[in-house]
Amino acid sequence: MGQSTSTVAGATTSHRSKARSMAVISPVLVNDHQSWVEPDGHTKSEPADYTFNIPDECLACIFQSLGSGDRKQCSLVCRRWLLIEGQSRHRLSLDAQSKLLCVVPSLFTRFDSVTKLALKCDRRSVSIGDDALILISLRCQKLTRLKLRACRELTDAGMAVFAKNCKGLKKLSCGSCSFGAKGMNALLDNCNSLEELSVKRLRGITDGAAADPIGPGVAGSALKTVCLKELYNGQCFGPLIIGSKNLKTLKLFRCSGDWDKLLEVITARVTSLVEVHLERLQVSDTGLSALLHCPNIEILHLVKTPECTNMGLVAVAEHCKLLRKLHIDGWKTNRISDEGLIAVAKHCPNLQELVLIGVNPTRASLERLATNCQNLERLALCGSETVGDAEISCIAAKCTALKKLCIKSCPVSDHGMEALAGGCPNLVKVKVKKCRAVTAEGADWLRASRGSVAVNLDTIEPENQDASASDSPQEIGLENPSLVTQVEAVNIASGTAGRSTSFKARLGLGRTFVACTFRRWSSFGGSSRNN
């Protein structure tokens, strides 16, 4: 900020004259009056507007604490408020249709301090092209975050010019765009401050083995997070990942190809990894075991990787002893069982969060986890045929630190609810779904016995039978929300949200039981993350 009191074209330099012109629509009018002498000698007065005594910087701070709708209303109060509101807005979300080009100059004349920008286009519309993106880059050279969605008209040439104009970019997220490896390399070669890169369905790199390798460029030394989703040839990002020596988070979702060899090379050269997500990948114990070269791993998500077995999990547990969060969706293959979980219990005493979906643990492994992992606060058991009343009783007796418990599609009855009533002294919430033997009376009895525990019982059968974890880590609510939840809509709003939501619902990729549960409980996880 730091700007002096704003003036507008046509306004006089006299503070008195400014007060006269704006008093009629001023939001703060009091009984006091201010007087002045007109050029003809007559004395006039009108109610004083004390908002003129508030510095621009203070008004800007007030505006930044408001929602987007309230900010828009404030911008209509007077010309000064319009100017300050525009200059103090740092986040912007725009409907990136082709017609945006003609309003870019006026839009970014008003919003001249934008550092976080989202450009999202409806899939049925024609998106902005290179001309609009280049014009935006000239107006927003201090941009630090950019999100592109369905901007299919952007090419490698446009991205190259953008990269040269916005070299301070720190975070890039692009999905369903059509530029390719050359455009991505241009960004990596110019943006030496880039810390986060998220790429989903990048259409320009679907040429198989002929695709150009990507990275690392000058961004390799700063990059901390790489997230690749639904890429036909995602392995062309291998040089980027390998060259990012300070990489902390690696997320791979539904990317084709055999990842075993590449993971071996990555973990041999990048040993700083703290968080790894592997979802629906062709990866076996060979690739999973390669993670043993990264002893600082604290978060591991292993979702629907049927070739991973107890052997790979044991290798990770024995070497990644700082593990705090473990999510496993075994896809009901029974290839991860007690053996792997007992190894986790033995070597990972700092475990705070455990999600098991389609895995069949028995009392043997649950008892070891409860005994050795004294910091276990969040536990989800979904689609487990072996988790019954005896296992719940074991959890109730042994998990003294447990705060949140989620049970879905398990053979648990009211007797399990009775066991919870007398155990887990720190329990704050229990959610039970699709456990047919748990009745409303059993849930009510638990509520009555433990008044401080919130009990949520849902026996309704949803259409979506998939018990898997959420489509993205953010949906679990355990990490900071991404730019999509941070940007504020302005006069041009995006129209893709509704269609995207319904599309995900039809495919079963939306919010699941575990995801919704942990999102609601995320407020309780702050202390755990700080440990």
Side-chain angles (χ1 to χ4, degrees), residues 503-519:
F503 180 72
K504 286 186 177 183
R506 291 197 300 272
L507 290 184
L509 297 177
R511 300 174 180 175
T512 63
F513 173 63
V514 177
C516 295
T517 300
F518 279 125
R519 186 184 298 105

Side-chain angles (χ1 to χ4, degrees), residues 33 63 67 102 117 133 147 157 189 246 280 332 344 400 406 413 511 522:
H33 284 64
F63 293 155
C102 61
L117 178 64
L133 184 66
K147 181 175 185 177
D189 289 337
N246 298 313
R280 295 197 183 190
K332 296 187 177 181
V344 171
T400 57
C406 169
S413 71
R511 300 174 180 175
S522 60

Side-chain angles (χ1 to χ4, degrees), residues 257-275:
D258 188 344
W259 284 84
D260 280 343
K261 292 183 179 180
L262 187 53
L263 282 173
E264 287 182 308
V265 177
I266 290 172
T267 54
R269 300 189 184 182
V270 183
T271 59
S272 57
L273 287 173
V274 174
E275 181 174 356

Side-chain angles (χ1 to χ4, degrees), residues 284-285 288 302 305-314 335-336:
S284 69
D285 286 335
L288 181 59
L302 199 60
T305 54
E307 295 182 39
C308 293
T309 70
N310 286 320
M311 182 184 300
L313 184 58
V314 169
R335 306 198 74 182
I336 293 180

